[in-house]
Amino acid sequence: MYVYLVHRQDDRVSFVHIPLRQYTLYVQPLLQLLFPVRNAAGSAEHSSAAWANQHPFLNVSITPIECSVICSKALAQTYFAPVIAQGNSRLGPDEDHASISSEDFVVVSVEGEGLVAGQRVLELTSPLAMAGISIFFITTYYSDYILVPARSRGQVVRALEERGFAFEQSSEAYVNPMSHHRHTSSTPSFEQHSPSTPPPTTVTELQARTFSLLQRHNIIPHVHPNIRLIQCAGRGDNPSKQSSSDLELQVGLTKSLVYPCRFLSLSLVESESASILLEECALSNFSEHCLLANREENLIPITLNLEPLPFDATGIVCGVAGKLVGGQTSPLIKSVEMSYLSTAKAGTVMVDEKDLERAMEALQEGEFELEIS
């Protein structure tokens, strides 16, 4: 398993939180961010690369809790800050306001052969949780991404090295010396600080702390069995060229943003084609040959509204993953495969539809409540 630490002068990203009630105000900025217009000289505003490969990292997500954008700090200020200032001026103090994180984040991408998705989430997040580092985690079609506060970069390096990842200067990669075989995969808070209590010493302790924290803040996992998601990818193979399938993908995404379903997550990076987590009912927006997708495998989202958590909350991703992947106290409940999506103020666990009942049983251990819609 290879863990690449993205570290460039322009790769620091910000989180943008957009309340769903204000979403229509932000459709145009979202489209401008994704599909920049060309200037008089014929070049795009962002770069000369294909539209899906202009960003070191970009994520746009619509969930039942919020719309969330992760993009460079400069682009967040260019496209969203003016609309946020105008929109928030019309809201009362008790209403949900759109916001841009003031803290910078850096991205760690995970590629190559490794464990199945749920075990990867647990293996990658547990050393960071034990070190008391707040993280966001995003699963895409090709890779996993961990986003950490820029000020925690040194802690991330030490935590991964202590777990056995060796840093290779030539490739800027962390390589786990243990051999894995890959099968097929955020805890958010805008201003995060050093934890106020000592970090846990075991995953079991971390798991117990996590669910105790969720219960204290009345955060109840919300199961959405009627939202069926499909993990997809664009068919574009050449980041420097735009094909007809790229144009069809843009049309489908535009339809999905202008007339949104309940769930959509789009991730763009420089070296891969677009990764899309798409609600099954939105497949009709896309031509069949512009997407790579296994339409037989449906994922069910379980959302966590993490807005009430304190800024220094840590270990949520690892705690939830431990509960599902192998931390159950009952030997009758088998581990559940999962992937994870962090957004600005929420986290979403995704499980295969056939594993939903077992996932709910695991989460309900210890009299933990669930909501079902």
Side-chain angles (χ1 to χ4, degrees):
M1 178 183 292
Y2 296 88
V3 182
Y4 297 90
L5 183 58
V6 180
H7 181 60
R8 297 186 346 183
Q9 193 66 26
D10 60 349
D11 73 341
R12 296 191 176 197
V13 298
S14 295
F15 285 77
V16 182
H17 163 67
I18 300 171
L20 292 179
R21 291 183 63 181
Q22 301 177 42
Y23 175 78
T24 55
L25 297 176
Y26 294 88
V27 172
Q28 184 175 354
L30 286 169
L31 294 175
Q32 290 174 329
L33 172 69
L34 294 174
F35 313 122
V37 298
R38 296 188 173 274
N39 59 30
S43 61
E45 286 179 353
H46 299 169
S47 75
S48 58
W51 71 273
N53 305 101
Q54 297 186 28
H55 307 272
F57 184 84
L58 184 146
N59 176 270
V60 174
S61 294
I62 301 169
T63 75
I65 294 175
E66 64 175 337
C67 174
S68 170
V69 180
I70 306 170
C71 64
S72 74
K73 189 172 183 177
L75 292 177
Q77 292 298 322
T78 297
Y79 290 114
F80 299 103
V83 185
I84 287 175
Q86 183 180 16
N88 285 351
S89 66
R90 304 170 185 169
L91 300 176
D94 296 330
E95 295 185 83
D96 190 7
H97 288 59
S99 57
I100 299 175
S101 63
S102 58
E103 182 159 16
D104 294 339
F105 293 81
V106 293
V107 183
V108 178
S109 65
V110 183
E111 303 170 353
E113 296 294 318
L115 300 170
V116 291
Q119 287 288 348
R120 279 203 319 279
V121 175
L122 189 59
E123 177 176 293
L124 290 162
T125 60
S126 59
L128 304 180
M130 298 299 183
I133 301 170
S134 301
I135 70 163
F136 295 75
F137 195 98
I138 294 179
T139 296
T140 73
Y141 189 90
Y142 296 103
S143 307
D144 301 317
Y145 294 90
I146 302 172
L147 292 89
V148 300
R151 56 180 169 76
S152 299
R153 180 181 181 274
Q155 286 180 275
V156 172
V157 170
R158 289 190 295 273
L160 290 175
E161 288 180 334
E162 288 172 1
R163 181 54 68 95
F165 289 91
F167 184 64
E168 292 185 351
Q169 295 289 349
S170 60
S171 63
E172 294 189 349
Y174 283 94
V175 183
N176 190 328
M178 297 178 63
S179 177
H180 302 305
H181 301 284
R182 179 164 183 161
H183 179 59
T184 342
S185 79
S186 60
T187 298
S189 170
F190 275 170
E191 309 310 325
Q192 318 232 11
H193 305 287
S194 298
S196 56
T197 57
T201 56
T202 66
V203 172
T204 301
E205 181 186 354
L206 173 66
Q207 180 182 309
R209 283 195 193 185
T210 296
F211 282 84
S212 175
L213 179 67
L214 296 177
Q215 286 178 315
R216 288 201 307 272
H217 290 272
N218 198 31
I219 297 173
I220 300 174
H222 198 132
V223 183
H224 303 270
N226 295 320
I227 298 180
R228 293 176 170 83
L229 305 176
I230 297 176
Q231 187 71 267
C232 310
R235 289 186 179 273
D237 297 322
N238 188 342
S240 64
K241 289 182 63 177
Q242 203 164 48
S243 64
S244 59
S245 62
D246 287 326
L247 296 174
E248 292 172 352
L249 186 59
Q250 290 183 57
V251 171
L253 287 170
T254 300
K255 292 179 181 178
S256 300
L257 290 168
V258 173
Y259 305 104
C261 290
R262 293 165 293 178
F263 206 108
L264 170 71
S265 183
L266 168 68
S267 295
L268 303 178
V269 296
E270 292 174 319
S271 58
E272 299 169 350
S273 59
S275 177
I276 309 165
L277 188 61
L278 190 65
E279 196 168 351
E280 187 179 41
C281 63
L283 280 174
S284 59
N285 291 334
F286 299 83
S287 64
E288 288 190 8
H289 62 275
C290 76
L291 286 178
L292 296 170
N294 185 345
R295 300 173 188 240
E296 304 302 318
E297 293 185 4
N298 290 324
L299 302 175
I300 304 298
I302 303 172
T303 56
L304 294 161
N305 186 345
L306 301 174
E307 184 175 8
L309 289 185
F311 290 149
D312 61 354
T314 61
I316 307 299
V317 181
C318 182
V320 173
K323 191 82 166 177
L324 293 174
V325 173
Q328 304 92 345
T329 57
S330 171
L332 300 177
I333 303 177
K334 297 180 181 179
S335 64
V336 177
E337 258 311 295
M338 57 158 284
S339 53
Y340 199 91
L341 171 68
S342 289
T343 53
K345 294 190 176 184
T348 300
V349 177
M350 289 152 292
V351 300
D352 193 291
E353 188 173 23
K354 66 179 182 295
D355 293 332
L356 180 60
E357 185 174 343
R358 286 195 290 120
M360 293 171 63
E361 290 177 3
L363 291 173
Q364 286 176 308
E365 280 192 301
E367 300 183 354
F368 196 73
E369 296 181 9
L370 293 177
E371 288 185 357
I372 303 175
S373 63

